[in-house]
Amino acid sequence: DASRRAIRKVLNRVDSLLDISKMESGEMSLDREPIDLITLADSVANELRPLADELEVEIINQVSPDLPPLDVDGDKIESVLLNLVDNALKYSPANSRVVINSRIVDKQFLQVEVIDNGPGVPADYKKRLFDRFVQVEGRQVVRRGVGLGLAFCKLVTEAHGGKIWVEDNPDGGSIFIATLPIAILPELAD
């Protein structure tokens, strides 16, 4: 399992680099379709649960099944969630939680939140954290990254017409927030 996760992580980094390059050059198209956020969040939680167990961190999916479906490229948004939850795990102390939550912002967007109890993000990093190769210096982490995951998240979120940012968690740690478009489905006749 650990080997499979390591291989997938390397492949995800290569895919992220390619996707970042394609998005920046305008060559990437999105395969948008209606998909439930809870399905994507469940998939991410299940994939990262073995790693979370090793780190003694609990992943909690609080996404409501009653939310309207998203109008997104499911694979790309799943990768965004995977990056955000993986980052949260990377910085979370043992015996803490990473929570995936969501709410409706308006008729057009859902807000997705990944909440952790890690060290938080210093104020001077909050805006540039989503740039390529930026990492908070001086942090002790179990697994190092290369600073591409959040840049990928920003480009994908913006390609869907949404926004992404980070806020302080009042309970300590960070809340990474992304807005994603709600699918507009035709109404069915009675």
Side-chain angles (χ1 to χ4, degrees), residues 17-166:
L17 267 175
L18 292 172
D19 286 343
I20 287 170
S21 179
K22 286 179 185 176
M23 282 186 269
E24 287 180 337
S25 68
E27 294 177 20
M28 177 188 269
S29 62
L30 299 174
D31 296 323
R32 294 169 84 132
E33 62 183 351
I35 188 164
D36 291 322
L37 178 59
I38 193 165
T39 301
L40 298 175
D42 279 340
S43 176
V44 167
N46 289 334
E47 181 167 337
L48 291 176
R49 193 155 282 117
L51 175 61
D53 291 345
E54 284 176 28
L55 298 171
E56 298 177 27
V57 177
E58 184 180 10
I59 299 175
I60 300 171
N61 181 1
Q62 290 183 343
V63 173
S64 171
D66 299 331
L67 292 173
L70 297 171
D71 176 30
V72 296
D73 183 320
D75 290 338
K76 298 280 184 286
I77 296 302
E78 184 174 347
S79 292
V80 167
L81 278 175
L82 197 65
N83 272 300
L84 295 176
V85 174
D86 185 57
N87 267 0
L89 289 172
K90 188 184 302 184
Y91 293 102
S92 292
N95 301 310
S96 66
R97 307 168 1 151
V98 170
V99 178
I100 306 169
N101 203 352
S102 62
R103 65 182 179 87
I104 296 175
V105 175
D106 55 35
K107 291 182 179 183
Q108 295 180 316
F109 288 93
L110 285 181
Q111 181 169 301
V112 183
E113 302 173 346
V114 175
I115 305 162
D116 68 55
N117 297 112
V121 177
D124 57 325
Y125 277 90
K126 285 185 179 161
K127 288 200 189 248
R128 59 190 181 106
L129 191 62
F130 296 94
D131 295 340
R132 277 203 268 177
F133 307 116
V134 172
Q135 295 179 308
V136 177
E137 294 178 23
R139 289 278 164 92
Q140 296 290 331
V141 294
V142 178
R143 299 172 294 123
R144 293 245 353 124
V146 293
L148 290 174
L150 293 176
F152 170 82
C153 292
K154 179 182 179 187
L155 287 169
V156 170
T157 302
E158 290 177 350
H160 283 86
K163 296 178 182 172
I164 189 167
W165 67 95
V166 61

